[in-house]
Amino acid sequence: MQHIHTEVIKIDPVHPEEAKIERAAALIRAGEVVVFPTETVYGLGANALQARAVEGIFAAKGRPFSDPLIVHIAGKDALKDLTGALPEQVKQLTREFWPGPLTLILPRSPLVPKLVTAGLETVAVRMPSHPIALALIRAAGSPIAAPSANRFMHISPTTAQHALGDLDGRVPLILDGGPCAVGVESTVLDLCSAVPTILRPGGLSLEALRTVLPEVQLSTRHNVVRGIAQTEAVAQKAPGQLFTHYAPSVPLILFEGSEEAMRAAILNEIRRRRAEGEYVGVLVADEDVATFNDSGALVRALGSAAAPEQVAAALFAGMRALEVVGVQVILCRSFDEHGLGLAVRDRLLRAASGNVLNVGEN
Ligand code: TXA
Ligand code: MG
């Protein structure tokens, strides 16, 4: 791919300056790609209804065409161009959770290019809540297809600097609206299966979804991440959901067990590796920090273990911070699955891709 100059423009995340939005929107209208913030992670966007523009996303990201994209809209009325008649269930869900971190899998209308859906007869749609994302979609005058703005297989970016690190020279413009508030990607909910199914836990919690949709279930793909062999059925239902996704470029080892057992095991592992001269990075909760003060490891606290939304917001930035300073391994504690903890644990299991140590209860 040809090297192009990447411009980064700082933009007000609450009241985005119109002229800056217009510059980005003009690029989208011209069939180019633009990186922009959403409340979950940064996205790499292009006009969703123009196949040529969407090709640019795959090229910049190095993503295979078999991985479908999410179409972002600025208002519910845009749904009619993307899908068929709206069942009551969809109306309820969008009333309750849009704009926000919920992506719905719906039947695809013929207006949506096959490239966007990787040939599937369904389309993923989301209305983000970030003022910059909404302003950009409105100004562009079309829905915007956007995956996370990272190179294929890397961690999603939660700051403009992360996106620049992955896509410098591959995109013309990055809108820098500061760090993303949610920090993990949207919850992907399949409404085309017999029972509504979460294909990817994310920024909207399972508990919140159940208040509207008590019958919602977690995809068996979730078990794939837990190490059970991937079946063909799962691969077809959730393309692009392979458990090798989201990995940092350094190996990550995930410790699971009681608080005390995790702390003791991580401390042991730091000592063993330090003795061999390794540079070790650690991701823990605020409550754990004191344990590791003099351990010789580089320690990043992700927030309180009792507040999973703090951990979600800090998780990808924590992984990237350790990665860029060149640690040789990342040791990470796990978090329980309430609220956004479900998405946090999912991303950690993916990042660990099998390197999970169960250290028991004491
Ligand atoms: O929060 C987010 O969702 C971010 C921001 C930018 O909106 N976007 C994002 O996009 O995470 P991406 O492409 O990295 O992840 C989208 C996921 C993919 O893993 C894909 O498998 C799933 O959504 N997906 C998209 N269309 C689908 C479809 N028709 N059926 C099943 N899964 C689909
Ligand atoms: Mg992604």
Side-chain angles (χ1 to χ4, degrees):
M1 175 172 185
Q2 200 193 328
H3 187 94
I4 53 173
H5 175 69
T6 301
E7 192 180 354
V8 181
I9 304 183
K10 278 213 178 339
I11 176 166
D12 189 317
V14 182
H15 301 289
E17 299 85 341
E18 225 171 279
K20 295 177 181 176
I21 290 291
E22 183 43 39
R23 283 216 20 218
L27 284 168
I28 300 277
R29 288 195 300 268
E32 302 278 341
V33 296
V34 169
V35 173
F36 63 99
T38 80
E39 73 279 21
T40 56
V41 300
Y42 274 71
L44 170 60
N47 183 338
L49 303 182
Q50 247 182 54
R52 283 301 298 273
V54 173
E55 267 176 39
I57 294 175
F58 290 92
K61 198 171 153 122
R63 175 163 166 146
F65 290 123
S66 57
D67 214 350
L69 305 175
I70 296 173
V71 178
H72 297 70
I73 57 179
K76 292 170 203 170
D77 47 322
L79 269 176
K80 66 180 182 310
D81 290 338
L82 305 174
T83 186
L86 299 183
E88 190 51 38
Q89 197 179 53
V90 174
K91 289 182 187 155
Q92 257 178 303
L93 286 165
T94 58
R95 204 181 301 134
E96 195 69 28
F97 300 118
W98 277 9
L102 174 65
T103 294
L104 300 177
I105 307 295
L106 301 166
R108 175 188 81 98
S109 101
L111 277 180
V112 182
K114 287 253 175 173
L115 194 55
V116 170
T117 67
L120 297 172
E121 284 311 321
T122 55
V123 61
V125 189
R126 156 164 131 80
M127 180 179 172
S129 64
H130 198 297
I132 295 174
L134 291 171
L136 179 63
I137 299 162
R138 284 194 198 104
S142 72
I144 293 182
S148 49
N150 50 281
R151 292 299 302 274
F152 180 58
M153 302 284 275
H154 200 204
I155 318 158
S156 292
T158 55
T159 68
Q161 289 67 39
H162 297 162
L164 183 67
D166 277 20
L167 299 174
D168 194 8
R170 308 177 72 90
V171 297
L173 180 66
I174 296 176
L175 292 178
D176 179 358
C180 301
V182 177
V184 290
E185 305 87 344
S186 62
T187 298
V188 178
L189 176 65
D190 186 358
L191 294 176
C192 295
S193 49
V195 181
T197 303
I198 293 177
L199 300 181
R200 176 178 73 182
L204 180 70
S205 73
L206 176 62
E207 293 90 331
L209 255 183
R210 284 214 164 118
T211 63
V212 171
L213 216 58
E215 72 272 31
V216 70
Q217 63 177 20
L218 270 172
S219 159
T220 49
R221 184 215 44 79
H222 200 66
N223 297 324
V224 172
V225 176
R226 289 161 191 235
I228 297 163
Q230 185 172 27
T231 64
E232 210 167 301
V234 171
Q236 279 167 7
K237 196 67 211 175
Q241 292 283 324
L242 305 176
F243 67 93
T244 44
H245 250 78
Y246 304 103
S249 57
V250 242
L252 182 146
I253 303 173
L254 183 63
F255 291 75
E256 304 221 292
S258 69
E259 302 269 323
E260 247 175 83
M262 285 192 291
R263 282 198 273 263
I266 292 174
L267 196 55
N268 256 329
E269 188 66 16
I270 296 172
R271 292 197 175 124
R272 195 180 68 73
R273 288 176 179 262
R274 292 280 298 158
E276 288 171 19
E278 260 189 69
Y279 186 17
V280 180
V282 178
L283 292 175
V284 289
D286 292 351
E287 296 88 330
D288 306 317
V289 170
T291 307
F292 302 103
N293 268 343
D294 304 312
S295 67
L298 183 57
V299 179
R300 292 271 308 201
L302 299 173
S304 169
E309 65 288 351
Q310 289 178 7
V311 178
L315 181 66
F316 291 152
M319 287 184 194
R320 281 187 185 252
L322 295 179
E323 197 181 81
V324 296
V325 297
V327 301
Q328 289 160 285
V329 67
I330 297 174
L331 309 179
C332 183
R333 64 160 282 168
S334 65
F335 295 87
D336 73 49
E337 294 188 327
H338 74 277
L340 294 202
L342 184 66
V344 165
R345 184 150 179 274
D346 173 83
R347 303 310 186 268
L348 284 173
L349 286 166
R350 288 162 187 271
S353 58
N355 286 323
V356 182
L357 289 182
N358 202 313
V359 294
E361 292 309 310
N362 48 64

Short mmCIF file of all heavy atoms in Angstrom, two decimals, residues 120 122 190 193 197-199 217 219-224 228-242:
data_model
loop_
_atom_site.label_atom_id
_atom_site.label_comp_id
_atom_site.label_asym_id
_atom_site.label_seq_id
_atom_site.Cartn_x
_atom_site.Cartn_y
_atom_site.Cartn_z
N LEU A 120 -22.62 -11.93 3.87
CA LEU A 120 -23.73 -12.43 4.69
C LEU A 120 -25.03 -11.72 4.32
O LEU A 120 -25.02 -10.62 3.77
CB LEU A 120 -23.44 -12.19 6.17
CG LEU A 120 -22.23 -12.92 6.76
CD1 LEU A 120 -21.96 -12.43 8.18
CD2 LEU A 120 -22.48 -14.43 6.75
N THR A 122 -26.99 -10.67 6.53
CA THR A 122 -27.28 -9.83 7.70
C THR A 122 -26.33 -8.65 7.71
O THR A 122 -25.27 -8.68 7.09
CB THR A 122 -27.09 -10.64 9.00
OG1 THR A 122 -25.77 -11.18 9.00
CG2 THR A 122 -28.11 -11.76 9.12
N ASP A 190 -27.05 -10.59 18.06
CA ASP A 190 -27.63 -11.19 16.87
C ASP A 190 -29.14 -11.34 17.05
O ASP A 190 -29.59 -12.12 17.90
CB ASP A 190 -26.98 -12.56 16.63
CG ASP A 190 -27.42 -13.18 15.32
OD1 ASP A 190 -28.25 -12.58 14.62
OD2 ASP A 190 -26.90 -14.27 14.99
N SER A 193 -31.04 -14.85 14.89
CA SER A 193 -31.06 -16.24 15.31
C SER A 193 -32.35 -16.50 16.10
O SER A 193 -33.02 -15.56 16.51
CB SER A 193 -29.83 -16.55 16.18
OG SER A 193 -29.69 -15.57 17.18
N THR A 197 -28.88 -13.53 20.57
CA THR A 197 -27.61 -14.06 21.05
C THR A 197 -26.51 -13.00 21.03
O THR A 197 -26.34 -12.32 20.02
CB THR A 197 -27.18 -15.25 20.15
OG1 THR A 197 -28.24 -16.22 20.17
CG2 THR A 197 -25.91 -15.89 20.65
N ILE A 198 -25.79 -12.90 22.11
CA ILE A 198 -24.64 -11.99 22.16
C ILE A 198 -23.45 -12.69 21.50
O ILE A 198 -22.95 -13.70 21.98
CB ILE A 198 -24.29 -11.62 23.61
CG1 ILE A 198 -25.43 -10.78 24.22
CG2 ILE A 198 -22.97 -10.86 23.67
CD1 ILE A 198 -25.22 -10.42 25.67
N LEU A 199 -23.00 -12.14 20.37
CA LEU A 199 -21.85 -12.71 19.66
C LEU A 199 -20.54 -12.18 20.23
O LEU A 199 -19.51 -12.82 20.13
CB LEU A 199 -21.93 -12.38 18.17
CG LEU A 199 -23.16 -12.88 17.42
CD1 LEU A 199 -23.07 -12.49 15.95
CD2 LEU A 199 -23.30 -14.39 17.56
N GLN A 217 -29.12 -14.80 25.19
CA GLN A 217 -28.12 -15.78 25.61
C GLN A 217 -26.74 -15.39 25.08
O GLN A 217 -26.62 -14.60 24.15
CB GLN A 217 -28.50 -17.17 25.10
CG GLN A 217 -28.52 -17.25 23.57
CD GLN A 217 -28.82 -18.65 23.05
OE1 GLN A 217 -29.35 -19.50 23.77
NE2 GLN A 217 -28.47 -18.89 21.80
N SER A 219 -23.36 -16.35 23.12
CA SER A 219 -22.98 -17.27 22.06
C SER A 219 -22.04 -18.35 22.58
O SER A 219 -21.27 -18.12 23.50
CB SER A 219 -22.27 -16.48 20.96
OG SER A 219 -21.50 -17.32 20.18
N THR A 220 -22.11 -19.51 21.94
CA THR A 220 -21.15 -20.57 22.29
C THR A 220 -19.74 -20.14 21.91
O THR A 220 -18.77 -20.71 22.37
CB THR A 220 -21.48 -21.88 21.55
OG1 THR A 220 -21.65 -21.56 20.17
CG2 THR A 220 -22.73 -22.51 22.10
N ARG A 221 -19.66 -19.10 21.08
CA ARG A 221 -18.35 -18.56 20.76
C ARG A 221 -17.62 -18.12 22.02
O ARG A 221 -16.41 -18.17 22.12
CB ARG A 221 -18.46 -17.36 19.81
CG ARG A 221 -17.09 -16.84 19.37
CD ARG A 221 -17.05 -15.34 19.19
NE ARG A 221 -17.70 -14.62 20.23
CZ ARG A 221 -17.18 -14.37 21.44
NH1 ARG A 221 -16.00 -14.82 21.75
NH2 ARG A 221 -17.86 -13.68 22.34
N HIS A 222 -18.42 -17.71 22.99
CA HIS A 222 -17.83 -17.33 24.26
C HIS A 222 -17.03 -18.48 24.84
O HIS A 222 -15.96 -18.29 25.40
CB HIS A 222 -18.94 -16.90 25.22
CG HIS A 222 -18.44 -16.06 26.34
ND1 HIS A 222 -17.91 -14.81 26.14
CD2 HIS A 222 -18.36 -16.29 27.66
CE1 HIS A 222 -17.53 -14.31 27.30
NE2 HIS A 222 -17.80 -15.18 28.24
N ASN A 223 -17.56 -19.71 24.65
CA ASN A 223 -16.82 -20.89 25.12
C ASN A 223 -15.58 -21.15 24.28
O ASN A 223 -14.61 -21.71 24.77
CB ASN A 223 -17.73 -22.12 25.11
CG ASN A 223 -18.89 -21.95 26.06
OD1 ASN A 223 -18.73 -21.35 27.11
ND2 ASN A 223 -20.05 -22.44 25.67
N VAL A 224 -15.65 -20.73 23.02
CA VAL A 224 -14.48 -20.89 22.16
C VAL A 224 -13.32 -20.15 22.80
O VAL A 224 -12.20 -20.65 22.91
CB VAL A 224 -14.76 -20.31 20.75
CG1 VAL A 224 -13.48 -20.29 19.94
CG2 VAL A 224 -15.82 -21.12 20.06
N ILE A 228 -12.46 -24.08 24.35
CA ILE A 228 -13.09 -25.23 23.73
C ILE A 228 -12.91 -25.11 22.22
O ILE A 228 -12.99 -24.01 21.67
CB ILE A 228 -14.59 -25.28 24.11
CG1 ILE A 228 -14.71 -25.45 25.62
CG2 ILE A 228 -15.32 -26.38 23.36
CD1 ILE A 228 -16.07 -25.11 26.17
N ALA A 229 -12.69 -26.22 21.55
CA ALA A 229 -12.38 -26.18 20.12
C ALA A 229 -13.47 -25.45 19.32
O ALA A 229 -14.65 -25.57 19.63
CB ALA A 229 -12.21 -27.60 19.59
N GLN A 230 -13.06 -24.71 18.33
CA GLN A 230 -14.01 -23.94 17.53
C GLN A 230 -14.72 -24.84 16.53
O GLN A 230 -14.11 -25.57 15.78
CB GLN A 230 -13.26 -22.85 16.78
CG GLN A 230 -14.21 -21.95 16.03
CD GLN A 230 -13.47 -20.76 15.45
OE1 GLN A 230 -12.29 -20.85 15.19
NE2 GLN A 230 -14.18 -19.69 15.21
N THR A 231 -16.05 -24.78 16.54
CA THR A 231 -16.80 -25.59 15.59
C THR A 231 -17.05 -24.77 14.34
O THR A 231 -16.99 -23.55 14.36
CB THR A 231 -18.17 -25.98 16.17
OG1 THR A 231 -18.92 -24.79 16.36
CG2 THR A 231 -18.03 -26.71 17.48
N GLU A 232 -17.36 -25.47 13.25
CA GLU A 232 -17.60 -24.79 11.98
C GLU A 232 -18.82 -23.87 12.10
O GLU A 232 -18.84 -22.76 11.60
CB GLU A 232 -17.85 -25.82 10.90
CG GLU A 232 -17.40 -25.35 9.53
CD GLU A 232 -17.39 -26.52 8.58
OE1 GLU A 232 -16.66 -27.49 8.85
OE2 GLU A 232 -18.12 -26.44 7.60
N ALA A 233 -19.85 -24.35 12.83
CA ALA A 233 -21.07 -23.56 13.00
C ALA A 233 -20.76 -22.22 13.64
O ALA A 233 -21.26 -21.19 13.22
CB ALA A 233 -22.06 -24.33 13.86
N VAL A 234 -19.93 -22.25 14.64
CA VAL A 234 -19.56 -21.01 15.33
C VAL A 234 -18.80 -20.09 14.38
O VAL A 234 -19.06 -18.90 14.29
CB VAL A 234 -18.72 -21.31 16.59
CG1 VAL A 234 -18.16 -20.03 17.17
CG2 VAL A 234 -19.58 -22.03 17.62
N ALA A 235 -17.88 -20.66 13.62
CA ALA A 235 -17.07 -19.86 12.71
C ALA A 235 -17.96 -19.13 11.70
O ALA A 235 -17.70 -17.99 11.34
CB ALA A 235 -16.06 -20.75 11.99
N GLN A 236 -19.05 -19.80 11.27
CA GLN A 236 -19.92 -19.18 10.27
C GLN A 236 -20.85 -18.14 10.88
O GLN A 236 -21.16 -17.14 10.27
CB GLN A 236 -20.75 -20.25 9.57
CG GLN A 236 -19.94 -20.93 8.48
CD GLN A 236 -20.61 -22.18 7.98
OE1 GLN A 236 -21.74 -22.49 8.34
NE2 GLN A 236 -19.89 -22.92 7.15
N LYS A 237 -21.26 -18.39 12.11
CA LYS A 237 -22.19 -17.48 12.77
C LYS A 237 -21.51 -16.18 13.17
O LYS A 237 -22.09 -15.11 13.11
CB LYS A 237 -22.77 -18.18 14.01
CG LYS A 237 -24.00 -17.53 14.57
CD LYS A 237 -25.17 -17.67 13.61
CE LYS A 237 -26.10 -16.48 13.76
NZ LYS A 237 -27.18 -16.48 12.79
N ALA A 238 -20.29 -16.26 13.60
CA ALA A 238 -19.60 -15.08 14.09
C ALA A 238 -18.26 -14.90 13.39
O ALA A 238 -17.20 -15.08 13.97
CB ALA A 238 -19.39 -15.20 15.60
N PRO A 239 -18.33 -14.55 12.10
CA PRO A 239 -17.08 -14.40 11.36
C PRO A 239 -16.22 -13.32 12.00
O PRO A 239 -16.73 -12.35 12.52
CB PRO A 239 -17.54 -13.98 9.97
CG PRO A 239 -18.93 -13.45 10.15
CD PRO A 239 -19.51 -14.17 11.32
N GLY A 240 -14.95 -13.49 11.95
CA GLY A 240 -14.06 -12.49 12.52
C GLY A 240 -13.99 -12.54 14.03
O GLY A 240 -13.40 -11.70 14.66
N GLN A 241 -14.61 -13.56 14.61
CA GLN A 241 -14.62 -13.66 16.06
C GLN A 241 -13.65 -14.76 16.52
O GLN A 241 -13.86 -15.39 17.55
CB GLN A 241 -16.03 -13.96 16.57
CG GLN A 241 -16.99 -12.80 16.37
CD GLN A 241 -16.78 -11.71 17.40
OE1 GLN A 241 -16.47 -11.96 18.54
NE2 GLN A 241 -16.93 -10.47 16.99
N LEU A 242 -12.62 -15.00 15.76
CA LEU A 242 -11.63 -16.00 16.16
C LEU A 242 -10.95 -15.53 17.43
O LEU A 242 -10.78 -14.35 17.65
CB LEU A 242 -10.59 -16.16 15.04
CG LEU A 242 -11.17 -16.49 13.68
CD1 LEU A 242 -10.09 -16.52 12.62
CD2 LEU A 242 -11.91 -17.82 13.73
#
